[in-house]
Amino acid sequence: MMLATVFDQSVPIEELPCRTDPELYFAESPDDVEFAKTLCLSCPVRSACLAGALERREPWGVWGGELFVQTDVEERAVLEEEVGALRGLEH
């Protein structure tokens, strides 16, 4: 899935928090990971980012405010429910 199809076209891609320091979202430091997750909280495309990461089965990194570390099937099911809830709040 391409970046443009995941994200809301009304949001300039260069203004997304993850575009300023992309390496932060793949950091090894727990403090950096928590900071990246915090930046995601105010991101206007958070739920789309998380949904896209789940669909692509991203193996690791911070996506939509959630940390992926070889996420297993059970954890993915919980995240998918959370995405559905987030999308319900957006409308």
Side-chain angles (χ1 to χ4, degrees):
M1 180 176 293
M2 300 202 49
L3 185 67
T5 60
V6 172
F7 296 116
D8 179 352
Q9 296 293 320
S10 67
V11 179
I13 290 174
E14 62 275 357
E15 291 182 18
L16 298 175
C18 60
R19 302 303 279 191
T20 327
D21 184 9
E23 291 180 14
L24 181 65
Y25 295 81
F26 300 94
E28 292 184 22
S29 160
D31 288 341
D32 287 345
V33 168
E34 288 305 313
F35 182 59
K37 289 167 60 177
T38 300
L39 292 174
C40 291
L41 295 176
S42 61
C43 183
V45 295
R46 178 179 173 211
S47 63
C49 177
L50 181 56
L54 288 166
E55 184 178 313
R56 292 186 307 275
R57 300 197 168 280
E58 291 290 348
W60 66 291
V62 174
W63 298 93
E66 300 292 336
L67 176 61
F68 284 59
V69 182
Q70 296 294 328
T71 308
D72 67 25
V73 174
E74 185 176 308
E75 291 170 336
R76 284 188 189 277
V78 171
L79 288 173
E80 287 170 355
E81 286 180 22
E82 290 176 7
V83 167
L86 283 172
R87 285 194 169 156
L89 294 174
E90 291 175 350
H91 298 290

